[in-house]
Amino acid sequence: MKMFIDKDAEIKVEVFVLEKVDGSFSAWSSETKPEKLQDGIQKYEIFFRMPTYKDNLIFLDAGVKFDEKGQLSFVTNQSRFTRFVTLLKRWTFKDSDGNDIPATSENAEKLVAPIVSVIISELEKSLNL
């Protein structure tokens, strides 16, 4: 029985991305990618650290909102994104010159929605959420 999180333990998520002619993007997980990979589909890997108890508190708090009347609500998308950027360690995204793009919260915020959706979904599957 391991009572402590291994600081070196990682979760790896793969995402397959296609930039279309019109500039939009499609993204798939390993399980949902097309059977035959067409030209232009790129595979990327995103690595996360294992969440601690404190992390889980941060994720929950990120989704709690109070309106001007003090009414409580829970915003799951904010909690999900907070989990993504908090646990993010590194990824294999590169810029147009082939240089590594740092895996930062600021850069994660710039990713297009279809890619982020797949990454978050796969992270949650890995965490059994």
Side-chain angles (χ1 to χ4, degrees), residues 41-57:
I41 293 180
Q42 300 289 319
K43 175 184 165 185
Y44 298 99
E45 297 175 331
I46 302 91
F47 297 88
F48 300 92
R49 64 179 176 79
M50 295 298 294
T52 63
Y53 177 73
K54 181 179 178 182
D55 291 327
N56 288 317
L57 295 176

Side-chain angles (χ1 to χ4, degrees), residues 6-82:
D6 178 352
K7 67 177 182 65
D8 297 321
E10 291 184 329
I11 298 166
K12 179 174 95 169
V13 167
E14 295 178 341
V15 62
F16 294 82
V17 177
L18 174 65
E19 183 174 6
K20 299 177 185 175
V21 177
D22 65 2
S24 65
F25 290 86
S26 290
W28 303 271
S29 68
S30 296
E31 295 171 355
T32 62
K33 72 177 189 264
E35 252 184 60
K36 182 179 178 187
L37 293 180
Q38 62 192 60
D39 289 340
I41 293 180
Q42 300 289 319
K43 175 184 165 185
Y44 298 99
E45 297 175 331
I46 302 91
F47 297 88
F48 300 92
R49 64 179 176 79
M50 295 298 294
T52 63
Y53 177 73
K54 181 179 178 182
D55 291 327
N56 288 317
L57 295 176
I58 291 168
F59 307 150
L60 288 172
D61 288 348
V64 175
K65 303 294 179 203
F66 289 94
D67 66 15
E68 62 279 353
K69 295 179 183 176
Q71 296 293 317
L72 175 70
S73 63
F74 191 74
V75 184
T76 57
N77 287 332
Q78 183 60 50
S79 181
R80 295 174 80 208
F81 186 76
T82 299

